Amino acid sequence: MSDQHSAALEQYDATNPAVLTEIYDPNTNIVTWKRALDNTIHEVAKAIVREEPNFQTRIIGSVKGVSQSLFENLPDVDDREDLIADTVVLVDMFSELFELDRVGLRMSVLTKAMCPKFHVDRVPCRLVTTYTGAGTEWLTNADVSRSAEKGIAQIPGSTIQETYFGEVTLLKGEAWDGNEGRGIVHRSPSADADSARLVLTLDFA
């Protein structure tokens, strides 16, 4: 499904970035801007993975502060300013969408699944995008068993949904007002040295 709302899946996805505002729909847990990543930015991400396989940075700041910190911390690969510019745009969009003065940014090269088990985040909302490598895996509410005793589990035989590199996804968490017990269930995909990922996440500071 694309460019329309599915109540059954409790998601929105579209090729227009304005779709991100649909995260405010109380029945929606996940929104994906299905953009095609610029090839130069993708090549920059792959170069970072090759040259600094242990790269990671965490930043808390405004749009201007994030830009400066990325120039200071990102590996000095060709055309990295294109990746920085794209990240700053996403920080600006996230800040505007949620009226934030500062955001918490994490950018990391991952050679293994950071969160391999299906889980929910104890945050209001998180932005995730993968600049290279596999995207995020997630489950619809209909495909999840939530048990106080056994925790969160995928219903056997159900389908795992996934996002793709370049796409920008908002994941509504347990701390969103009125969403306790309904946070989007997701996990990191498998990864190794041959399928490393460069992942960006944005959180409320």
Side-chain angles (χ1 to χ4, degrees):
M1 183 206 70
S2 180
D3 296 329
Q4 58 183 326
H5 176 236
S6 167
L9 294 180
E10 299 184 337
Q11 67 160 314
Y12 277 94
D13 60 56
T15 56
N16 189 320
V19 72
L20 298 178
T21 63
E22 301 296 348
I23 197 66
Y24 281 100
D25 184 327
N27 295 317
T28 299
N29 258 356
I30 181 169
V31 175
T32 301
W33 170 21
K34 300 177 76 68
R35 68 171 184 168
L37 186 65
D38 179 88
N39 187 62
T40 298
I41 297 174
H42 190 204
E43 292 300 321
V44 172
K46 290 192 290 186
I48 291 172
V49 166
R50 286 194 306 270
E51 297 193 17
E52 287 208 30
N54 297 315
F55 171 75
Q56 59 178 318
T57 186
R58 293 174 182 263
I59 302 166
I60 295 178
S62 63
V63 173
K64 183 177 180 180
V66 164
S67 177
Q68 181 177 347
S69 294
L70 287 173
F71 272 107
E72 293 172 353
N73 296 328
L74 267 182
D76 189 15
V77 299
D78 290 343
D79 299 317
R80 67 174 187 152
E81 61 274 8
D82 289 11
L83 175 62
I84 293 172
D86 187 76
T87 301
V88 168
V89 167
L90 296 182
V91 171
D92 188 42
M93 293 173 67
F94 190 75
S95 300
E96 289 290 328
L97 183 61
F98 298 113
E99 299 181 351
L100 304 173
D101 293 326
R102 301 188 305 161
V103 303
L105 177 153
R106 179 176 62 199
M107 185 181 287
S108 306
V109 173
L110 301 177
T111 55
K112 62 181 180 179
M114 184 169 58
C115 302
K117 294 183 178 181
F118 280 116
H119 66 283
V120 295
D121 291 328
R122 307 288 175 180
V123 300
C125 190
R126 173 169 290 155
L127 182 149
V128 180
T129 192
T130 304
Y131 280 114
T132 190
T136 299
E137 298 178 349
W138 59 278
L139 299 171
T140 68
N141 277 339
D143 293 333
V144 174
S145 172
R146 301 177 194 248
S147 168
E149 295 181 356
K150 298 181 180 180
I152 293 171
Q154 178 187 4
I155 293 176
S158 61
T159 300
I160 297 174
Q161 312 292 325
E162 61 182 328
T163 62
Y164 297 93
F165 81 86
E167 295 182 345
V168 178
T169 302
L170 293 176
L171 305 172
K172 189 181 287 184
E174 293 281 298
W176 184 281
D177 188 27
N179 208 49
E180 185 176 357
R182 296 181 62 250
I184 186 71
V185 175
H186 62 287
R187 72 181 182 187
S188 301
S190 60
D192 56 32
D194 295 324
S195 59
R197 309 165 63 219
L198 180 65
V199 179
L200 169 72
T201 63
L202 302 179
D203 285 292
F204 293 25

